[in-house]
Amino acid sequence: KQEVTQIPAALSVPEGENLVLNCSFTDSAIYNLQWFRQDPGKGLTSLLLIQSSQREQTSGRLNASLDKSSGRSTLYIAASQPGDSATYLCAVSPVFTGGGNKLTFGTGTQLKVEL
Amino acid sequence: DAGITQSPRHKVTETGTPVTLRCHQTENHRYMYWYRQDPGHGLRLIHYSYGVKDTDKGEVSDGYSVSRSKTEDFLLTLESATSSQTSVYFCAISVGAVGDKFGYTFGSGTRLTVV
């Protein structure tokens, strides 16, 4: 059974700092990995999706890397801002087993960026 | 969230009563999913659908049933609500199966409290 772990569970940084969020998974037979953002009381917003054949994806100040063989992904946030405060979740898709893209989620990292 | 709505947004119900949550999409996506989110567990898949009248179980399907009679609607029913089903329920849609480069879109969630 796939298990996804995110460390740290919570993180507080001053504005402007660069930071790294970590995600590890136990079964390297994945098809892709997604990073999501969740604001309090809201749904999830997809930030980046990395296919298993890719090493990284970038969107603005966000960069996500994937090392499938070691079962690890990192989300790098450059020049953090208070608006980045949210919970960040990673999720992996299994190799196709029929019928849908069934994600396994980590429990998230709660990020607070302080002025 | 654009293209996907959940109703109701909040509900309080009594133990033993049936409850139905609705997910409606305007994107004409083939795949729809129901997840629940609980502290310490992240999001866990309850049921999913890969087409009209085509559904299957996820990781935590006991006590839940689903129906999809139209592409746009996916209903989640708690047959006889229990306190352990107090949770936030998220619906999601995806264009395709594993390997879909477009990933997921989530609804805003339904907060269900069983008393």
Side-chain angles (χ1 to χ4, degrees):
Chain A
K1 176 186 174 184
Q2 178 74 270
E3 293 184 1
V4 181
T5 303
Q6 291 186 246
I7 295 173
L11 181 63
S12 182
V13 300
E15 182 180 13
E17 188 163 303
N18 302 326
L19 59 100
V20 174
L21 307 181
N22 297 293
C23 173
S24 61
F25 46 95
T26 55
D27 186 349
S28 61
I30 66 167
Y31 215 95
N32 60 43
L33 181 146
Q34 280 185 258
W35 282 93
F36 294 89
R37 169 186 173 136
Q38 185 176 27
D39 293 288
K42 301 291 180 64
L44 280 69
T45 301
S46 181
L47 298 173
L48 291 164
L49 183 150
I50 310 175
Q51 301 285 6
S52 62
S53 57
Q54 298 175 317
R55 297 287 291 185
E56 64 180 285
Q57 281 284 342
T58 298
S59 176
R61 294 182 294 108
L62 305 180
N63 176 276
S65 67
L66 174 64
D67 185 342
K68 197 173 72 166
S69 61
S70 68
R72 294 183 180 182
S73 176
T74 61
L75 179 67
Y76 174 83
I77 302 176
S80 59
Q81 303 171 358
D84 294 330
S85 298
T87 297
Y88 291 80
L89 298 153
C90 73
V92 298
S93 297
V95 174
F96 185 67
T97 56
N101 188 0
K102 294 166 281 186
L103 299 180
T104 300
F105 281 85
T107 52
T109 293
Q110 188 173 6
L111 173 65
K112 183 176 181 181
V113 181
E114 299 175 321
L115 291 169
Chain B
D1 293 339
I4 179 170
T5 55
Q6 293 184 231
S7 59
R9 291 296 312 277
H10 303 273
K11 186 171 182 64
V12 179
T13 191
E14 293 186 349
T15 299
T17 61
V19 177
T20 296
L21 309 182
R22 180 179 184 241
C23 177
H24 178 79
Q25 62 147 328
T26 58
E27 305 297 322
N28 201 36
H29 287 355
R30 178 180 176 187
Y31 296 92
M32 300 185 75
Y33 312 82
W34 278 106
Y35 285 85
R36 61 178 288 176
Q37 185 176 33
D38 305 288
H41 288 279
L43 280 86
R44 292 177 292 174
L45 181 65
I46 305 171
H47 280 279
Y48 65 97
S49 170
Y50 47 97
V52 173
K53 299 185 179 179
D54 292 323
T55 65
D56 205 349
K57 297 178 180 180
E59 177 188 358
V60 290
S61 60
D62 288 347
Y64 301 94
S65 63
V66 290
S67 66
R68 191 171 180 197
S69 59
K70 298 184 290 185
T71 298
E72 57 265 36
D73 290 325
F74 192 31
L75 304 180
L76 177 71
T77 298
L78 287 66
E79 305 290 347
S80 177
T82 68
S83 59
S84 65
Q85 293 176 311
T86 292
S87 186
V88 180
Y89 291 85
F90 287 100
C91 177
I93 59 176
S94 68
V95 172
V98 173
D100 167 31
K101 64 178 181 179
F102 300 107
Y104 266 46
T105 301
F106 276 84
S108 299
T110 294
R111 184 173 296 276
L112 177 68
T113 302
V114 183
V115 298

